[in-house]
Amino acid sequence: MGTKATGQVNVEEVPEHTVEIITNSGEGAQKCAQIFGATCAKMGNGVWTVEIIPAEIEPPHHTVTSTSGNIIRFGTGKITNWGDQSKLAVAFNDQVLLSRHRLDSLRDDCIILLEAAWKDSEDEELRRMYDEAMEEMSSKNYRFVMVPYEEEALKIVDNPNHGKNMFALGLLAEIYQRDLSIIEKQIAHIFRFKPAKVTEKNIELVKAGIAWAKENLDFRFHIESVPFEEERIVMNGNQAAALGAIASGVELCAMYPITPATSVSHELAEIIENYGGIVHQSEDEIAAAGVAIGASYAGKVALTVTSGPGMALKTEFLALAIMIEVPLVVLNVQRGGPSTGLPTKVEQSDLLSSIYGQPGDAPRVVMAPRTIEECFHAMVTARKIAETFRMVVIVLTDANLATGVGQFTRPELDVRWQQGAIDQSPIPEGLRPYEWDLETGLSKRIIPGMPGGQHTVTGLAHDEESLVSYHPSSNELGIKMRSRKLAVFQSTLMPPEIHGDDEGDLLVVGWGSTQGAIVDAVGRAREQGHKVSTCQLAFLSPLEPGLKKIFSRFNKVMTVEINYSDTPGDPYVTEDSRRYGQLAWLLRAHTLVDVECWTSCPGQPLRPRDIYNNIIAQLESTEKGVAA
Amino acid sequence: MSSLAISLLDLEADSQVCLEADDYQKRPGKWCAGCGDFGALNAVKRLLAKEQLQPEKTVFVSGIGCSSRFPHYVNTYGFHGIHGRALPVATGIKLARPELDVFVTMGDGDCTSIGAGHWIHATRYNADMVVLMLDNNIYGLTKNQTSPTTPQGYASMTSPKGAVLPALDPLQATLGVSNASFVAQTADWVPAHLYATMQAAYDHPGFSFVRILQRCPKFTADVFQKNIENPDLTELLVHENGVDVPSLKQLFKARRVHDPKNIDDARALAHRTDKLRLGMFFRDDSLPVYEEIRAVPKISAEEKVARLNKEFERYAV
Ligand SMILES: Cc1ncc(C[n+]2csc(CCOP(=O)(O)OP(=O)(O)O)c2C)c(N)n1
């Protein structure tokens, strides 16, 4: 396999493949991958793509820290996560490739289509770096194919950095026998804001890549495409959440830019005005919460979108919204923490702060979509809950879902989702602003404009009339009523679905975005005959009902999460001091079951193989009766 | 036919009932005796009655502080929020429902300290609302801490030896913000001027920022005392397009004609500190108003669904 010598082409039939496109940032890997992924999806493959993004816009090129790119896993069936390792890589230089090698992202037999120019570069330093990189990578059996990306791109464009990516796309199109007409349509869509000749040039580059591959490469892969029965759409989780927001009737989205949440507002900003709504970019996240709350108070369907650090800034306002029972949907696309860089990547560390991180008692609903599809539907559900319960609903996604691209069944829209928030008819005689039903805590919402309803909402303790009150019993009643709504809401939830048998040795519990990887890993363990099952929680506050009962049917329960927990046996880590994963903490408190956890914060999505290995380790240690 | 029906509906709404100033008072203010906030409340009541504002279509928004109790005392809708953050809430209300009349009351700490970012940006958004900044030069509710507007050297619980920095000037700051459209200063102890200023603020289409010098009998009883005792230390800015109250001619001899269209003069007058200046510093009714420039046509639910279905085509497999 490699460069074509004999004219013979070898086509290998495979169920799935994972491809990496790795470049310096600014060399267009994202566009190449986006078009390739969308094309695979449109052809009827399951697809999942993940971005590799450096924190800087354009860090110094040709270094191990300048890597920008994309991983595309596609196959015959549904693909729910990014898998384990890549089987083919397009690499524009040896250094970015080396960074992927060091992360163990490439399979031992990975085919690498590497830029040919560096090997014999005139620059001695670059030659030395190349030689050292190749030496380091020789520990693996990678199969290198040298490709003159730059030389070929220069035949068509003046700046190879604006052309190599599409040439590479051409190679992939030929290797995987992709449908050129779909690629052409995707290119036209991506460059729809640019002059038409940009689209033409890009298509020319793709064709040049195809021609080069036909001429020079002797291998092809065939991945069966089985068109799905139902209509499907392909997008990332942020796009799904944005369209879900519109489907849910959102009329105002207030936000402040923060990775990885920002692209939700990009998507909304582009289209929401066609739906009678607006995106308001505030001066900061606090103001964004305030504007959304003000709009919702006045009867609009409002949303605020942010990520962890923005969440932290919104906390006081969220507590106020909860106190005055103004409905609000908050989308938190989680990230690792403050500042920038790795903290902008995948992490699930906002669970406890989302549930508890407000001043005072502030019960609210926290939900976590598990798939890209659920990112869409969660927004509709969230609005419904927020309004029914006059409650803040926090939707937690993360960069795995936000930037992962996959397909799902095209949603059936319901015109009732678009209903305005509230009517303007006079309020019934004598109705009080917080006429709590003492059973459920529910009350009718009154908004400005409704004659006879004048009252002042206040974050101060207040009675049914919304009058400031310092009376102990009135404060106790208010707190109880606001909390009761959560219990009532929980009574509408179903116990979680179990993948696998509903009893066994080990139950793996995850939440949110990790579902795809966990189900894959548990599937592998089950194939090996292990009695492992899994369930993935979508509601975290309140928790889905029946957990204790479910847990009791397994010898051991273990969470898998992308947040920090202590490793037993580490220095100073004792049973007294051990910090658990956030869901594990919650489940332990909630069920009094000795829930174990395996967590990891790699700044990237979890790999099924890592989860698998830890499932096996847990099974072994449970057998031996020691803590993993 | 349909337009007739609509105008009949409009007629029905309260138009027969004439509301008096006291009808707009929900309950007596609970400020300390002698607090300047009472004066502001009185002027507001008079304005609401004069304009016959529909209580259900009027919203008072505030933060936290003594002055932020305001909405509780007015018989309209009210939003008593969190410290420093009245303006984002008010902006959200205006974006959602431009037809509502929105009033904001804030203290000096509320506005110029914790809420300073929002103040700058709300000024620039220029949403149509009346913004009353009740400036008593001190933190009242939390009992006597230095505020950004506390005079340099003035002692408080947090600066026992006196405020260490020169006071922040809210007029200068607001006048420095692009798209600022209305800046005025008045004082609680000159009720006629206070009322006339509020009227002008209400008439202005945009963000009408009114700094009300407000006496705090507990903590800053003396800061405005010399001005109250000697009207000659106050200069009224007057103009036919500004605030001019004929009845004040007797009392305030120092009058300066200032055209509120002139931003350079406004900034200069805000800057010079020889006299306390009351009046309209700046007003421009032609500047973009946020909720107007962000207005989007209403789309029917059916049409939204149709459009979204079309949107899906972009992503269709
Ligand atoms: C986040 C936050 N920080 C601090 C406070 C405490 N606090 C309440 S009011 C106030 C200052 C009040 O002064 P000012 O805004 O000038 O209004 P005044 O009471 O003088 O009318 C402070 C610091 C608070 N409520 N919230």
Side-chain angles (χ1 to χ4, degrees), chain A residues 316, chain B residues 64-67 83 107-110 114 136 138-142:
Chain A
E316 188 187 8
Chain B
I64 295 288
C66 296
S67 41
H83 191 33
D108 42 298
D110 214 36
I114 189 168
N136 55 6
I138 200 79
Y139 285 10
L141 188 74
T142 44

Side-chain angles (χ1 to χ4, degrees), chain B residues 262-275:
Chain B
N262 190 327
I263 186 82
D264 295 329
D265 283 358
R267 287 180 181 145
L269 289 167
H271 186 65
R272 262 182 266 141
T273 52
D274 46 343
K275 281 218 167 103

Side-chain angles (χ1 to χ4, degrees), chain A residues 338-354:
Chain A
S339 83
T340 176
L342 191 118
T344 64
K345 311 286 188 211
V346 183
E347 209 164 300
Q348 296 183 300
S349 287
D350 290 349
L351 177 59
L352 293 178
S353 64
S354 292

Side-chain angles (χ1 to χ4, degrees), chain B residues 236-284:
Chain B
L236 295 189
L237 301 182
V238 295
H239 193 271
E240 53 179 348
N241 299 326
V243 174
D244 193 0
V245 188
S247 64
L248 293 176
K249 272 185 187 155
Q250 288 280 316
L251 191 59
F252 295 97
K253 301 284 182 312
R255 292 160 54 85
R256 179 193 289 260
V257 176
H258 163 63
D259 182 351
K261 269 215 173 71
N262 190 327
I263 186 82
D264 295 329
D265 283 358
R267 287 180 181 145
L269 289 167
H271 186 65
R272 262 182 266 141
T273 52
D274 46 343
K275 281 218 167 103
L276 183 64
R277 295 205 169 92
L278 304 183
M280 193 188 297
F281 284 76
F282 183 66
R283 172 170 174 171
D284 184 345

Side-chain angles (χ1 to χ4, degrees), chain B residues 52-255:
Chain B
Q52 284 296 297
L53 295 188
Q54 283 173 254
E56 70 271 20
K57 298 241 168 91
T58 309
V59 188
F60 276 75
V61 185
S62 68
I64 295 288
C66 296
S67 41
S68 287
R69 290 297 182 103
F70 216 96
H72 288 283
Y73 309 136
V74 189
N75 192 13
T76 63
Y77 278 90
F79 191 112
H80 181 202
I82 55 176
H83 191 33
R85 324 264 177 227
L87 289 171
V89 171
T91 307
I93 294 172
K94 254 340 243 196
L95 276 174
R97 304 273 300 283
E99 78 279 12
L100 297 176
D101 277 308
V102 174
F103 293 77
V104 177
T105 56
M106 302 179 285
D108 42 298
D110 214 36
C111 174
T112 71
S113 194
I114 189 168
H118 307 315
W119 164 41
I120 303 281
H121 291 278
T123 302
R124 179 167 165 256
Y125 295 138
N126 193 34
D128 184 13
M129 55 181 78
V130 175
V131 179
L132 307 175
M133 201 269 270
L134 289 146
D135 191 349
N136 55 6
N137 290 195
I138 200 79
Y139 285 10
L141 188 74
T142 44
K143 301 200 173 84
N144 198 17
Q145 297 85 21
T146 301
S147 131
T149 61
T150 303
Q152 189 169 17
Y154 197 87
S156 79
M157 299 300 277
T158 46
S159 309
K161 293 181 196 153
V164 293
L165 290 170
L168 180 149
D169 184 339
L171 300 177
Q172 278 191 64
T174 313
L175 286 166
V177 177
S178 50
N179 213 36
S181 68
F182 184 109
V183 178
Q185 175 157 273
T186 182
D188 81 70
W189 60 89
V190 196
H193 193 269
L194 177 62
Y195 174 74
T197 308
M198 277 192 197
Q199 178 74 59
Y202 178 76
D203 292 341
H204 167 66
F207 188 85
S208 310
F209 182 80
V210 182
R211 181 195 193 196
I212 303 174
L213 302 170
Q214 175 233 326
R215 287 167 295 177
C216 172
K218 286 277 184 261
F219 306 123
T220 50
D222 47 343
V223 288
F224 304 120
Q225 200 52 36
K226 62 181 193 311
N227 292 89
I228 293 166
E229 279 163 9
N230 181 3
D232 292 345
L233 299 178
T234 298
E235 180 178 81
L236 295 189
L237 301 182
V238 295
H239 193 271
E240 53 179 348
N241 299 326
V243 174
D244 193 0
V245 188
S247 64
L248 293 176
K249 272 185 187 155
Q250 288 280 316
L251 191 59
F252 295 97
K253 301 284 182 312
R255 292 160 54 85

